[in-house]
Amino acid sequence: MVDIGGRALSRVGHAAMSMRGSDVRWVEIQQNTFTNWVNEQLKTRNASISDLKTDFADGVLLATLVEALQDRKIPRIVKKPFNQHQNLENVTLALRAISDDRIRLVNIGNTPYSL
C-alpha cells in the first residue's frame, strides 16, 4: 500500500496514477483496437458499442457479443433491464456461458472466475 495525501492506494492504483503520456496513449490504442474488434463481432447482430467502460454494464451487449462468438443463444437475458439486479443477472449469464465452454476467465476480481 502507498499513502498519498492520507489515502492508501494499492500498487496497482499507484501505477495507474503514475502513467505518463505514452502509457496513456498505449491504453487508448488498446481500447480503440478492442472496441473495433467487438464491433466487428457485433455486426452480425446489428449492434455496436462506443464505450467499453459503460456499454457492457447492463449485460445486454455483453451477452450479444458472447452469442455472436458462440453462435448460440443465451437464455433468460433481460433485453431491457430496469434495475441493477437484472444488469447483474445478465452479466452473470454471459460469463457463465463463457465458463460453460471451459474458457478460463482471469482478472475478474482477485481469483479466476468460476460459477
Side-chain angles (χ1 to χ4, degrees):
M1 294 296 227
V2 177
D3 183 19
I4 298 179
R7 293 184 309 162
L9 294 176
S10 69
R11 296 237 181 260
V12 174
H14 179 68
M17 288 182 62
S18 67
M19 288 176 56
R20 300 287 181 234
S22 63
D23 293 332
V24 171
R25 181 68 185 133
W26 181 85
V27 170
E28 288 173 356
I29 290 169
Q30 295 301 307
Q31 287 175 334
N32 288 338
T33 301
F34 188 65
T35 299
N36 290 337
W37 178 83
V38 167
N39 283 330
E40 279 299 312
Q41 308 313 307
L42 291 176
K43 269 186 186 178
T44 61
R45 307 296 170 120
N46 296 317
S48 66
I49 65 166
S50 58
D51 186 346
L52 288 169
K53 294 177 183 177
T54 59
D55 291 348
F56 288 140
D58 67 3
V60 175
L61 287 172
L62 178 60
T64 303
L65 174 62
V66 172
E67 288 174 344
L69 293 172
Q70 294 180 334
D71 196 28
R72 68 174 187 239
K73 191 92 170 123
I74 298 173
R76 300 187 326 265
I77 294 294
V78 178
K79 295 297 184 185
K80 295 186 182 205
F82 64 90
N83 61 40
Q84 189 174 4
H85 175 75
Q86 290 177 331
N87 294 351
L88 182 59
E89 182 64 20
N90 283 347
V91 170
T92 300
L93 289 168
L95 294 177
R96 185 170 287 138
I98 294 169
S99 179
D100 288 349
D101 279 354
R102 299 192 189 282
I103 297 171
R104 187 168 178 232
L105 302 175
V106 295
N107 292 330
I108 298 178
N110 294 330
T111 60
Y113 185 80
S114 63
L115 293 172

